[in-house]
Amino acid sequence: GNEGLYYLAARDVFETRRQEQFKHLIVTVSLFEIYGGKLFDLLNARKIVKCLEDAKQKVCFLGLSEHAVHSADEVMDLIESGGSQRSTGTTSANADSSRSHAVLQLSLKLPGRRSRSGSGQLQEHGRLTFIDLAGSERGADTNKSDRQTRLEGAEINTSLLALKEVIRALATGGTMQHIPFRGSKLTQVLKESFVGEDARSVMIACVAPNFSNCEHTLNTLRYADRVKEKEFRAGGG
């Protein structure tokens, strides 16, 4: 069957953790959404999370809950629980449209060691971050929607454009001072994924073969093509 990226990744993490040198690590899950320029913890009653940088310019998520897990099935249960808290709405293109970007963090923690960021969280050994981006929206898809839905669509489009500008700046060799991570909350959240030490990033484009989605598919492919035009190495090199 199609077990999906989340399950396959979680399964790989737990299989790796069985190795002697990784048995001491704790696996935790966090899940939040970026909605209307704010972060909401989907595993803690939608409490607001702060995205800040510490003295070393490392991105920290203050107030984000972490949940220890022991199997891929436990990870999927938390994702399902958090997904039910995610902001959705109806547009002419989609009856159950995501109105936010969702961010899943699968972290490996060092027991007994606290982070120096002041968050009180355990020190991190490594992290897998999955970002489910809300799709860009055409005006035609929201022209019959209420004002709130149109504002949400505009916010989504603005953040996706900011992400493209960040990738373009990285690909053209921009210095850290000239990479527009502050263009949106989405790009602030993703900064570590692009320039963190030893970071690696992958983008997966979701397209549909049916004719009614032709324009959406073309727009998605154009976006993905722009992203892969030039290679860049995360870490600023």
Side-chain angles (χ1 to χ4, degrees):
N2 184 8
E3 294 171 321
L5 281 176
Y6 293 155
Y7 184 85
L8 293 173
R11 190 181 67 186
D12 284 351
V13 166
F14 285 106
E15 283 181 0
T16 301
R17 187 173 167 269
R18 290 195 188 100
Q19 298 176 25
E20 193 63 39
Q21 67 266 41
F22 300 124
K23 280 185 177 178
H24 65 292
L25 296 175
I26 298 169
V27 183
T28 67
V29 166
S30 297
L31 180 61
F32 63 91
E33 74 171 0
I34 306 170
Y35 174 75
K38 294 181 180 178
L39 275 54
F40 296 92
D41 191 336
L42 297 179
L43 297 176
N44 189 21
R46 291 184 59 81
K47 290 187 177 177
I48 289 183
V49 176
K50 298 288 187 184
C51 176
L52 303 171
E53 290 186 16
D54 63 15
K56 294 183 178 179
Q57 296 189 314
K58 180 179 172 64
V59 178
C60 304
F61 299 98
L62 297 185
L64 180 62
S65 64
E66 296 179 317
H67 304 261
V69 286
H70 305 91
S71 69
D73 288 332
E74 283 187 32
V75 173
M76 297 310 296
D77 287 344
L78 284 174
I79 292 172
E80 186 175 349
S81 173
S84 67
Q85 300 295 310
R86 189 174 175 186
S87 301
T88 59
T90 301
T91 68
S92 58
N94 192 344
D96 191 23
S97 172
S98 298
R99 314 308 296 157
S100 67
H101 307 299
V103 182
L104 170 72
Q105 294 182 344
L106 196 58
S107 301
L108 294 168
K109 301 283 188 172
L110 294 164
R113 286 197 198 171
R114 295 288 167 184
S115 168
R116 296 177 182 175
S117 65
S119 64
Q121 297 175 339
L122 291 174
Q123 188 175 328
E124 212 166 50
H125 174 78
R127 184 201 310 164
L128 268 174
T129 302
F130 296 89
I131 302 93
D132 179 15
L133 294 172
S136 62
E137 298 191 346
R138 304 175 304 169
D141 293 332
T142 56
N143 60 1
K144 295 179 182 177
S145 303
D146 59 22
R147 181 173 181 272
Q148 181 62 30
T149 301
R150 292 196 302 272
L151 286 173
E152 289 168 350
E155 177 78 30
I156 290 167
N157 289 346
T158 298
S159 63
L160 291 173
L161 179 61
L163 176 58
K164 186 158 66 172
E165 290 302 316
V166 162
I167 293 170
R168 180 181 297 164
L170 286 164
T172 54
T175 64
M176 283 299 293
Q177 289 75 22
H178 296 98
I179 297 172
F181 287 111
R182 296 190 179 275
S184 74
K185 191 59 70 175
L186 172 65
T187 47
Q188 287 181 41
V189 166
L190 293 182
K191 179 181 177 182
E192 201 79 3
S193 298
F194 287 125
V195 299
E197 188 176 351
D198 297 325
R200 296 291 183 272
S201 299
V202 174
M203 178 178 282
I204 298 172
C206 180
V207 298
N210 48 312
F211 183 75
S212 61
N213 280 321
C214 182
E215 191 171 346
H216 290 292
T217 294
L218 282 171
N219 286 337
T220 298
L221 290 173
R222 288 188 190 108
Y223 189 97
D225 190 57
R226 183 71 188 96
V227 168
K228 73 178 182 61
E229 263 183 27
K230 294 188 178 180
E231 293 184 4
F232 65 89
R233 180 187 174 92

